[in-house]
Amino acid sequence: MRKTSIAAAAVMLALGTAACSSGDAGTHVDFGYIGDFNGASLLAVADEQGLWKKHGIDAKASVFTNGPLQIQALGTGDLDFGYIGPGAMWLPATGKAKVVAMNTLGNADRVIAQAGTGTMADLKGKTIGVPEGTSGDMILTLALKKAGLTKTDVKIVPMDAATIVSAFTSKQIDAAGFWYPAIATIKKAVPDLVELAKNEDFADTVSFPTAFVAGNDVVAKDQGKTQKVIAVLRDAIQYRSDHLDETIAATAKMLNQPAEQVKADAANSKVLSLSELDGYTKDGTIDKWLTGMNDYFVGAGKLTGAVAPKTYYTADLFTGVAK
């Protein structure tokens, strides 16, 4: 995870109050997100459809570049809730936060390389940029292992997302473990880049769920706030699955991006309905997703051993709000 000084500098990027309720009354919530479809769409729906106000919440949303920074902000109390991709799921598993709601299944991660690179094996000895502890890190680790390589066989350079865009575009790095929609930005300058690996390559063994997380103290000491936020997320999940086009439009508005760009980004995710998430929570499917990811994190050195999903996914709270 990043050092505290870096986190402090990066926590509050632009769009600091992108999704707020219309009134000052209600339970105040500081909510983190990432500026893409997976990270922002439910907050955009909550804002556009008045869901914060409906559930008595005054929400302030702040954009982050990745999940680990949000987990750190949850730990310091600067955030109450946040969003993480699959690569950061090891942090709740180690007790740094609670997963309060699952979101989508991601398919936006890639290992990209400069033109002329044929396979992952060609990256041996090459310089690879990656945001540590993210889904970009995860896809890179999986792809290297599949190719019979480890991170010691390449030169890993930890970078934030913005630095990867500039470093790859200027050919300062040979490859990157990264994700869409940022890769689409790189492609404008480097149209002949090569995609060497993607999430679907590992679908038989690992799922890539994205999720919403809460600070441990919030869940333990303010269950009322937690339940209200989960209620907002549940309503937004239902709306998103029923009104995907409208959700894309609301997300584009929130992120100040063209709707077509957000639509292309959304295509890299599997949107799950509320009934699916409730069903997957109750029948153990989500436990299987998280267990599979834990196995990966053990192999990657992020976890020292198996962790029961029930210790960090508050399944009963998620489904209990529906009652």
Side-chain angles (χ1 to χ4, degrees), residues 11 35 55 94 98 105 113 118 125 129 139 165 170 183 192 199 202 211 213 225 249 264 268 272 304 313 323:
V11 162
H55 292 284
T94 56
K98 298 294 186 186
L105 289 176
I139 195 73
V165 172
S170 59
I183 292 174
D192 56 351
N199 302 80
F202 309 98
V213 289
K225 176 185 286 190
N268 288 313
L272 300 169
T304 57
Y313 173 43
K323 298 178 181 178

Side-chain angles (χ1 to χ4, degrees), residues 71 74 80-86 88-104 209-216 219 226 229-230 233 277 281 286-287 289-290 293-294 297 307-319:
I71 298 290
L74 291 173
D80 300 307
F81 297 86
Y83 160 85
I84 62 171
M89 197 67 75
W90 65 278
L91 290 163
T94 56
K96 299 293 194 301
K98 298 294 186 186
V99 174
V100 296
M102 305 306 289
N103 183 30
T104 61
T210 69
F212 291 94
V213 289
N216 289 323
V219 174
T226 305
V229 169
I230 291 174
L233 294 174
L277 286 174
T281 295
I286 290 175
D287 280 359
W289 293 348
L290 297 177
M293 294 185 74
N294 286 344
F297 289 130
V307 180
K310 67 180 181 180
T311 63
Y312 59 97
Y313 173 43
T314 60
D316 290 344
L317 275 178
F318 181 75
T319 57

Side-chain angles (χ1 to χ4, degrees), residues 7-319:
V11 162
M12 296 298 178
L13 293 174
L15 305 180
T17 56
C20 298
S21 68
S22 57
D24 294 328
T27 301
H28 181 76
V29 170
D30 289 305
F31 213 123
Y33 70 99
I34 293 175
D36 57 21
F37 179 81
N38 280 332
S41 57
L42 292 189
L43 301 190
V45 167
D47 196 38
E48 192 83 3
Q49 296 299 309
L51 300 181
W52 302 117
K53 184 176 182 179
K54 173 185 174 182
H55 292 284
I57 293 175
D58 165 42
K60 176 185 177 183
S62 301
V63 68
F64 288 69
T65 56
N66 61 51
L69 287 175
Q70 292 179 72
I71 298 290
Q72 187 166 0
L74 291 173
T76 59
D78 293 320
L79 285 181
D80 300 307
F81 297 86
Y83 160 85
I84 62 171
M89 197 67 75
W90 65 278
L91 290 163
T94 56
K96 299 293 194 301
K98 298 294 186 186
V99 174
V100 296
M102 305 306 289
N103 183 30
T104 61
L105 289 176
N107 188 34
D109 306 301
R110 303 286 188 274
V111 176
I112 59 173
Q114 302 289 352
T117 309
T119 66
M120 286 295 301
D122 294 336
L123 294 181
K124 188 171 183 178
K126 299 295 180 67
T127 301
I128 305 176
V130 64
E132 286 186 302
T134 67
S135 56
D137 193 353
M138 186 175 181
I139 195 73
L140 175 63
T141 304
L142 288 168
L144 287 171
K145 182 179 180 181
K146 187 175 182 179
L149 302 173
T150 70
K151 288 184 176 180
T152 61
D153 295 313
V154 297
K155 299 174 183 177
I156 298 293
V157 182
M159 296 179 170
D160 62 29
T163 304
I164 285 180
V165 172
S166 60
F168 193 97
T169 300
S170 59
K171 295 182 168 49
Q172 294 177 32
I173 55 176
D174 301 300
F178 210 29
W179 51 74
Y180 281 94
I183 292 174
T185 300
I186 295 176
K187 279 187 172 181
K188 293 176 182 178
V190 191
D192 56 351
L193 67 79
V194 180
E195 295 186 6
L196 298 177
K198 58 185 182 300
N199 302 80
E200 290 176 347
D201 297 339
F202 309 98
D204 290 344
T205 55
V206 183
S207 296
F208 296 81
T210 69
F212 291 94
V213 289
N216 289 323
D217 284 348
V218 174
V219 174
K221 300 177 182 179
D222 201 339
Q223 194 165 104
K225 176 185 286 190
T226 305
Q227 289 173 331
K228 285 183 178 182
V229 169
I230 291 174
V232 170
L233 294 174
R234 287 180 63 89
D235 283 356
I237 288 167
Q238 184 65 54
Y239 181 91
R240 182 177 61 187
S241 64
D242 291 340
H243 305 280
L244 186 57
D245 289 343
E246 291 87 346
T247 298
I248 288 170
T251 306
K253 178 182 176 182
M254 175 179 170
L255 300 178
N256 195 26
Q257 294 177 358
E260 286 303 311
Q261 179 177 326
V262 176
K263 184 176 181 179
D265 184 21
N268 288 313
S269 305
K270 181 179 179 181
V271 172
L272 300 169
S273 69
L274 188 57
S275 61
E276 286 176 317
L277 286 174
D278 281 343
Y280 292 159
T281 295
K282 294 173 182 176
D283 70 11
T285 297
I286 290 175
D287 280 359
K288 290 179 182 178
W289 293 348
L290 297 177
T291 299
M293 294 185 74
N294 286 344
D295 291 343
Y296 156 77
F297 289 130
V298 170
K302 300 291 188 183
L303 295 178
T304 57
V307 180
K310 67 180 181 180
T311 63
Y312 59 97
Y313 173 43
T314 60
D316 290 344
L317 275 178
F318 181 75
T319 57

